[in-house]
Amino acid sequence: MTLWQLKVFATVARESSFTEAGKVLNISQPSVSSLIIGLQKSLGVKLFEKLGVKPRLTEAGRRLLRLAEHTIATVDKIPEAMAEAEGKHRLRIGGSVLAAASFLPAAIQKFKKKHPEIEINLDVYTSDLLEKELSEGNIDLALLGWAAHAPNISTEPYHQEEIVVIAPPKHPLTKKRSVSLEQLSSEPLIVPREGMRIREILEQAFADKEVPLTPSIEIGNQFAVRDAIRNAVASGLGIGFIAKCHVTGDIKAGRIKVLKVPEFKVKRTTYIAVHKKRLDSHPVRVFKDFLKTRNQRP
Protein backbone atom coordinates (compact mmCIF):
# COMPACT_ATOMS: atom_id res chain seq x y z
CA MET A 1 0.00 0.00 0.00
CA THR A 2 1.36 3.42 -1.00
CA LEU A 3 0.38 7.03 -0.36
CA TRP A 4 -0.32 7.42 -4.09
CA GLN A 5 -2.77 4.50 -3.98
CA LEU A 6 -4.55 6.17 -1.04
CA LYS A 7 -4.78 9.47 -2.94
CA VAL A 8 -6.19 7.71 -6.00
CA PHE A 9 -8.67 5.81 -3.81
CA ALA A 10 -9.80 9.01 -2.03
CA THR A 11 -10.23 10.77 -5.39
CA VAL A 12 -12.36 7.97 -6.81
CA ALA A 13 -14.49 8.04 -3.66
CA ARG A 14 -14.91 11.81 -3.90
CA GLU A 15 -15.69 11.86 -7.63
CA SER A 16 -17.78 8.64 -7.58
CA SER A 17 -16.11 7.81 -10.89
CA PHE A 18 -12.91 6.11 -12.02
CA THR A 19 -12.91 8.19 -15.20
CA GLU A 20 -13.38 11.55 -13.43
CA ALA A 21 -10.74 10.60 -10.87
CA GLY A 22 -8.32 9.98 -13.73
CA LYS A 23 -9.05 13.44 -15.14
CA VAL A 24 -8.46 15.09 -11.76
CA LEU A 25 -5.18 13.19 -11.25
CA ASN A 26 -4.12 13.47 -14.91
CA ILE A 27 -3.78 9.71 -15.34
CA SER A 28 -5.73 7.23 -17.49
CA GLN A 29 -8.84 5.40 -16.31
CA PRO A 30 -7.10 1.99 -16.68
CA SER A 31 -4.29 3.27 -14.43
CA VAL A 32 -6.84 4.28 -11.81
CA SER A 33 -8.47 0.84 -11.98
CA SER A 34 -5.10 -0.91 -11.74
CA LEU A 35 -4.08 1.09 -8.67
CA ILE A 36 -7.40 0.40 -6.92
CA ILE A 37 -7.16 -3.33 -7.72
CA GLY A 38 -3.63 -3.38 -6.30
CA LEU A 39 -4.78 -1.58 -3.15
CA GLN A 40 -7.64 -4.04 -2.65
CA LYS A 41 -5.27 -7.00 -3.05
CA SER A 42 -2.76 -5.59 -0.56
CA LEU A 43 -5.52 -5.03 2.03
CA GLY A 44 -7.49 -8.16 1.25
CA VAL A 45 -10.83 -6.33 1.07
CA LYS A 46 -13.24 -5.00 -1.54
CA LEU A 47 -13.38 -1.19 -1.44
CA PHE A 48 -16.04 -0.46 -4.07
CA GLU A 49 -19.22 -2.11 -5.27
CA LYS A 50 -21.14 -1.18 -8.38
CA LEU A 51 -24.80 -0.45 -7.71
CA GLY A 52 -26.08 1.30 -10.80
CA VAL A 53 -23.71 3.43 -12.84
CA LYS A 54 -21.45 4.86 -10.13
CA PRO A 55 -19.07 2.92 -7.88
CA ARG A 56 -20.05 3.05 -4.20
CA LEU A 57 -17.91 2.46 -1.15
CA THR A 58 -18.26 -0.76 0.78
CA GLU A 59 -18.15 -0.64 4.58
CA ALA A 60 -14.42 -1.37 4.39
CA GLY A 61 -14.10 1.42 1.82
CA ARG A 62 -15.84 3.92 4.08
CA ARG A 63 -13.54 3.07 6.96
CA LEU A 64 -10.47 3.31 4.75
CA LEU A 65 -11.62 6.67 3.36
CA ARG A 66 -11.65 8.21 6.84
CA LEU A 67 -8.15 6.88 7.54
CA ALA A 68 -6.88 7.83 4.06
CA GLU A 69 -8.11 11.42 4.33
CA HIS A 70 -6.46 11.77 7.74
CA THR A 71 -3.22 10.25 6.45
CA ILE A 72 -3.12 12.45 3.33
CA ALA A 73 -3.84 15.60 5.36
CA THR A 74 -1.07 14.69 7.82
CA VAL A 75 1.47 14.05 5.06
CA ASP A 76 0.51 17.31 3.33
CA LYS A 77 1.43 19.19 6.53
CA ILE A 78 4.98 17.81 6.61
CA PRO A 79 6.57 20.38 4.21
CA GLU A 80 5.04 23.26 6.15
CA ALA A 81 6.13 21.75 9.47
CA MET A 82 9.69 21.36 8.21
CA ALA A 83 9.68 24.91 6.85
CA GLU A 84 8.45 26.20 10.21
CA ALA A 85 11.27 24.30 11.91
CA GLU A 86 13.66 26.35 9.79
CA GLY A 87 11.79 29.57 10.54
CA LYS A 88 10.19 29.68 7.08
CA HIS A 89 6.59 29.48 5.87
CA ARG A 90 5.01 28.90 2.47
CA LEU A 91 1.66 30.30 1.38
CA ARG A 92 -0.09 29.30 -1.84
CA ILE A 93 -2.56 31.97 -2.98
CA GLY A 94 -5.04 31.89 -5.83
CA GLY A 95 -6.37 35.12 -7.33
CA SER A 96 -9.40 35.67 -9.53
CA VAL A 97 -8.93 37.73 -12.69
CA LEU A 98 -10.50 40.79 -11.04
CA ALA A 99 -8.42 40.52 -7.86
CA ALA A 100 -5.17 39.92 -9.76
CA ALA A 101 -5.82 42.92 -12.01
CA SER A 102 -6.61 45.32 -9.17
CA PHE A 103 -5.67 45.19 -5.49
CA LEU A 104 -3.99 41.79 -5.00
CA PRO A 105 -0.47 42.39 -6.46
CA ALA A 106 0.06 45.55 -4.38
CA ALA A 107 -1.27 43.79 -1.28
CA ILE A 108 1.13 40.86 -1.75
CA GLN A 109 4.07 43.21 -2.30
CA LYS A 110 3.37 45.07 0.96
CA PHE A 111 2.76 41.84 2.83
CA LYS A 112 6.12 40.39 1.74
CA LYS A 113 7.93 43.48 3.02
CA LYS A 114 6.20 43.09 6.36
CA HIS A 115 6.58 39.30 6.53
CA PRO A 116 9.73 38.26 4.62
CA GLU A 117 9.70 34.91 6.43
CA ILE A 118 6.59 33.84 4.45
CA GLU A 119 7.18 32.72 0.88
CA ILE A 120 4.19 33.38 -1.40
CA ASN A 121 3.21 31.59 -4.60
CA LEU A 122 0.41 33.24 -6.61
CA ASP A 123 -1.68 31.52 -9.27
CA VAL A 124 -4.27 33.43 -11.32
CA TYR A 125 -7.25 31.42 -12.52
CA THR A 126 -10.96 31.85 -13.13
CA SER A 127 -13.03 31.56 -9.94
CA ASP A 128 -14.44 28.14 -10.82
CA LEU A 129 -10.95 26.67 -11.26
CA LEU A 130 -9.75 28.40 -8.09
CA GLU A 131 -12.57 26.86 -6.07
CA LYS A 132 -11.66 23.42 -7.41
CA GLU A 133 -7.96 23.91 -6.61
CA LEU A 134 -8.83 25.16 -3.13
CA SER A 135 -11.24 22.32 -2.43
CA GLU A 136 -8.59 19.78 -3.44
CA GLY A 137 -5.97 21.40 -1.20
CA ASN A 138 -3.68 22.59 -3.99
CA ILE A 139 -3.81 26.19 -2.74
CA ASP A 140 -4.24 27.58 0.79
CA LEU A 141 -6.27 30.74 0.23
CA ALA A 142 -8.09 32.23 -2.73
CA LEU A 143 -9.73 35.49 -3.73
CA LEU A 144 -12.91 34.46 -5.57
CA GLY A 145 -15.53 36.31 -7.58
CA TRP A 146 -18.33 34.56 -5.68
CA ALA A 147 -19.05 32.76 -2.41
CA ALA A 148 -17.67 29.21 -2.73
CA HIS A 149 -20.16 26.36 -3.08
CA ALA A 150 -17.93 23.53 -1.83
CA PRO A 151 -18.81 22.52 1.75
CA ASN A 152 -15.15 22.21 2.77
CA ILE A 153 -14.42 25.88 1.99
CA SER A 154 -14.98 28.82 4.34
CA THR A 155 -15.90 32.05 2.51
CA GLU A 156 -16.45 35.65 3.57
CA PRO A 157 -16.95 38.87 1.56
CA TYR A 158 -13.86 41.04 1.40
CA HIS A 159 -13.54 43.67 -1.32
CA GLN A 160 -15.92 45.50 -3.65
CA GLU A 161 -15.23 47.10 -7.01
CA GLU A 162 -17.65 49.47 -8.73
CA ILE A 163 -18.86 48.42 -12.17
CA VAL A 164 -19.08 51.46 -14.44
CA VAL A 165 -20.61 52.17 -17.85
CA ILE A 166 -18.00 53.36 -20.34
CA ALA A 167 -18.34 55.04 -23.74
CA PRO A 168 -16.07 56.49 -26.46
CA PRO A 169 -15.07 60.07 -25.52
CA LYS A 170 -17.07 61.64 -28.37
CA HIS A 171 -20.22 59.57 -27.91
CA PRO A 172 -23.39 61.75 -27.69
CA LEU A 173 -24.36 60.22 -24.33
CA THR A 174 -21.19 61.61 -22.70
CA LYS A 175 -22.69 65.09 -22.99
CA LYS A 176 -25.71 64.14 -20.89
CA ARG A 177 -25.84 64.69 -17.13
CA SER A 178 -27.83 61.51 -16.69
CA VAL A 179 -28.40 58.41 -18.83
CA SER A 180 -31.13 55.82 -18.27
CA LEU A 181 -30.88 52.07 -18.76
CA GLU A 182 -33.60 52.42 -21.39
CA GLN A 183 -31.32 54.72 -23.38
CA LEU A 184 -28.43 52.29 -22.98
CA SER A 185 -30.51 49.36 -24.20
CA SER A 186 -30.87 50.98 -27.63
CA GLU A 187 -27.08 51.39 -28.00
CA PRO A 188 -24.60 48.76 -29.25
CA LEU A 189 -23.60 47.04 -25.99
CA ILE A 190 -20.29 45.25 -25.45
CA VAL A 191 -20.52 42.63 -22.70
CA PRO A 192 -18.86 39.37 -21.57
CA ARG A 193 -20.37 36.15 -22.87
CA GLU A 194 -22.97 34.17 -20.94
CA GLY A 195 -21.62 32.17 -18.03
CA MET A 196 -19.23 34.86 -16.78
CA ARG A 197 -19.93 36.39 -13.40
CA ILE A 198 -20.04 40.00 -14.61
CA ARG A 199 -22.54 38.98 -17.32
CA GLU A 200 -24.80 37.53 -14.61
CA ILE A 201 -24.52 40.78 -12.63
CA LEU A 202 -25.45 42.86 -15.70
CA GLU A 203 -28.41 40.66 -16.58
CA GLN A 204 -29.74 40.95 -13.04
CA ALA A 205 -29.30 44.75 -12.98
CA PHE A 206 -31.21 45.17 -16.26
CA ALA A 207 -33.88 42.65 -15.26
CA ASP A 208 -34.49 44.49 -11.98
CA LYS A 209 -35.45 47.57 -14.01
CA GLU A 210 -37.34 45.48 -16.59
CA VAL A 211 -35.04 46.70 -19.35
CA PRO A 212 -33.84 44.22 -22.02
CA LEU A 213 -30.11 43.54 -22.27
CA THR A 214 -29.34 42.89 -25.94
CA PRO A 215 -25.58 42.70 -26.58
CA SER A 216 -24.07 43.82 -29.85
CA ILE A 217 -20.68 42.27 -29.11
CA GLU A 218 -19.97 39.42 -26.66
CA ILE A 219 -16.44 38.84 -25.39
CA GLY A 220 -15.62 35.17 -24.84
CA ASN A 221 -12.13 34.94 -23.29
CA GLN A 222 -12.37 35.59 -19.54
CA PHE A 223 -8.70 36.45 -19.14
CA ALA A 224 -8.80 38.95 -22.04
CA VAL A 225 -12.29 40.30 -21.49
CA ARG A 226 -11.32 43.52 -19.70
CA ASP A 227 -8.79 44.57 -22.35
CA ALA A 228 -11.14 43.57 -25.16
CA ILE A 229 -13.97 45.68 -23.72
CA ARG A 230 -11.70 48.67 -23.06
CA ASN A 231 -10.27 48.63 -26.57
CA ALA A 232 -13.62 47.99 -28.26
CA VAL A 233 -15.21 50.95 -26.48
CA ALA A 234 -12.22 53.23 -27.11
CA SER A 235 -12.44 52.29 -30.80
CA GLY A 236 -16.06 53.46 -30.94
CA LEU A 237 -17.72 50.05 -31.28
CA GLY A 238 -20.24 50.61 -28.51
CA ILE A 239 -20.98 50.98 -24.78
CA GLY A 240 -19.25 48.70 -22.26
CA PHE A 241 -19.48 47.63 -18.62
CA ILE A 242 -16.32 47.08 -16.61
CA ALA A 243 -14.82 47.29 -13.11
CA LYS A 244 -13.66 50.87 -12.57
CA CYS A 245 -10.21 49.72 -11.41
CA HIS A 246 -9.52 48.40 -14.93
CA VAL A 247 -10.02 51.75 -16.68
CA THR A 248 -8.61 54.44 -14.36
CA GLY A 249 -5.67 54.96 -16.72
CA ASP A 250 -7.91 55.13 -19.79
CA ILE A 251 -10.14 57.70 -18.09
CA LYS A 252 -7.17 59.92 -17.19
CA ALA A 253 -5.79 59.59 -20.72
CA GLY A 254 -9.15 60.56 -22.25
CA ARG A 255 -9.50 57.30 -24.19
CA ILE A 256 -12.92 56.61 -22.68
CA LYS A 257 -15.50 58.34 -20.50
CA VAL A 258 -17.71 57.03 -17.72
CA LEU A 259 -21.42 57.62 -18.19
CA LYS A 260 -23.59 58.70 -15.27
CA VAL A 261 -26.35 56.10 -15.01
CA PRO A 262 -28.28 56.62 -11.72
CA GLU A 263 -30.24 53.38 -12.21
CA PHE A 264 -27.03 51.39 -12.50
CA LYS A 265 -25.48 51.11 -9.04
CA VAL A 266 -23.58 47.85 -9.26
CA LYS A 267 -20.57 46.54 -7.38
CA ARG A 268 -18.76 43.25 -7.74
CA THR A 269 -17.70 41.52 -4.53
CA THR A 270 -14.48 39.57 -4.09
CA TYR A 271 -14.49 36.87 -1.41
CA ILE A 272 -11.73 35.46 0.77
CA ALA A 273 -11.94 31.66 0.62
CA VAL A 274 -9.96 29.20 2.73
CA HIS A 275 -10.09 25.43 2.99
CA LYS A 276 -11.59 24.69 6.41
CA LYS A 277 -8.65 22.45 7.30
CA ARG A 278 -6.27 25.38 6.66
CA LEU A 279 -8.05 27.98 8.80
CA ASP A 280 -5.59 27.48 11.68
CA SER A 281 -2.49 27.60 9.46
CA HIS A 282 -0.16 30.36 10.63
CA PRO A 283 0.62 31.91 7.19
CA VAL A 284 -3.06 31.75 6.20
CA ARG A 285 -4.17 33.52 9.38
CA VAL A 286 -1.46 36.18 9.06
CA PHE A 287 -2.23 36.95 5.41
CA LYS A 288 -5.99 36.91 5.95
CA ASP A 289 -5.68 39.33 8.89
CA PHE A 290 -3.40 41.55 6.80
CA LEU A 291 -5.94 41.70 3.96
CA LYS A 292 -8.82 42.50 6.30
CA THR A 293 -6.88 45.22 8.11
CA ARG A 294 -5.75 46.75 4.82
CA ASN A 295 -9.30 46.78 3.48
CA GLN A 296 -10.57 48.66 6.56
CA ARG A 297 -8.28 51.64 5.95
CA PRO A 298 -9.97 54.78 4.55
Side-chain angles (χ1 to χ4, degrees):
M1 178 177 62
T2 66
L3 179 63
W4 177 238
Q5 283 177 312
L6 290 178
K7 286 186 175 182
V8 172
F9 162 72
T11 305
V12 173
R14 183 175 63 247
E15 299 293 331
S16 297
S17 167
F18 283 67
T19 301
E20 292 303 315
K23 291 179 181 178
V24 170
L25 298 168
N26 198 28
I27 60 176
S28 67
Q29 186 271 334
S31 295
V32 173
S33 298
S34 177
L35 287 162
I36 296 300
I37 291 171
L39 180 60
Q40 291 181 142
K41 285 183 178 179
S42 68
L43 295 175
V45 296
K46 190 175 182 180
L47 300 173
F48 293 99
E49 57 185 351
K50 201 162 186 179
L51 299 175
V53 179
K54 296 183 178 181
R56 295 187 181 182
L57 290 169
T58 62
E59 178 58 30
R62 284 191 288 272
R63 294 190 180 192
L64 178 61
L65 181 59
R66 290 193 292 271
L67 294 170
E69 288 178 334
H70 176 74
T71 300
I72 294 167
T74 300
V75 171
D76 286 344
K77 291 178 181 178
I78 291 176
E80 182 181 344
M82 296 301 97
E84 288 179 1
E86 297 294 321
K88 300 176 182 178
H89 301 274
R90 184 166 64 100
L91 180 62
R92 299 163 299 180
I93 298 174
S96 67
V97 178
L98 176 61
S102 53
F103 64 88
L104 188 55
I108 290 176
Q109 186 179 29
K110 290 183 179 179
F111 178 81
K112 290 175 72 172
K113 288 181 180 179
K114 190 175 182 180
H115 297 279
E117 77 282 4
I118 298 179
E119 177 187 340
I120 292 182
N121 294 329
L122 172 64
D123 291 314
V124 180
Y125 296 121
T126 56
S127 289
D128 54 345
L129 288 176
L130 284 177
E131 183 172 346
K132 183 174 183 291
E133 289 291 293
L134 190 62
S135 181
E136 294 176 358
N138 297 324
I139 54 179
D140 302 311
L141 178 149
L143 282 301
L144 304 179
W146 56 63
H149 304 95
N152 60 350
I153 298 177
S154 172
T155 314
E156 60 183 278
Y158 166 62
H159 183 83
Q160 287 192 323
E161 288 285 352
E162 181 185 2
I163 305 298
V164 293
V165 185
I166 57 174
K170 295 183 180 180
H171 194 284
L173 291 180
T174 61
K175 297 180 173 62
K176 294 184 176 292
R177 290 186 178 182
S178 176
V179 179
S180 68
L181 283 183
E182 193 71 44
Q183 287 175 297
L184 289 182
S185 68
S186 62
E187 295 287 333
L189 300 181
I190 305 167
V191 301
R193 65 167 170 78
E194 291 183 355
M196 294 187 184
R197 178 57 181 155
I198 192 168
R199 174 64 175 266
E200 294 173 359
I201 293 172
L202 293 176
E203 288 177 342
Q204 187 62 55
F206 274 72
D208 287 345
K209 299 297 181 180
E210 298 183 347
V211 176
L213 175 64
T214 307
S216 174
I217 299 176
E218 295 183 89
I219 308 298
N221 187 322
Q222 192 159 26
F223 283 97
V225 65
R226 63 182 186 274
D227 290 333
I229 290 176
R230 289 168 52 235
N231 292 331
V233 170
S235 299
L237 296 180
I239 305 294
F241 304 84
I242 196 168
K244 190 174 182 179
C245 63
H246 295 328
V247 290
T248 51
D250 295 286
I251 295 169
K252 290 179 180 178
R255 292 184 70 234
I256 60 172
K257 285 193 176 182
V258 174
L259 301 180
K260 294 180 180 179
V261 187
E263 296 173 284
F264 189 80
K265 299 292 183 183
V266 177
K267 291 185 178 181
R268 181 172 179 181
T269 303
T270 296
Y271 295 81
I272 298 177
V274 180
H275 195 292
K276 289 180 179 178
K277 291 183 179 180
R278 302 289 293 161
L279 287 170
D280 293 328
S281 165
H282 172 70
V284 168
R285 284 189 288 105
V286 173
F287 186 72
K288 186 178 176 182
D289 290 343
F290 170 81
L291 284 179
K292 294 170 72 173
T293 302
R294 187 171 183 268
N295 202 40
Q296 290 167 1
R297 293 173 186 168

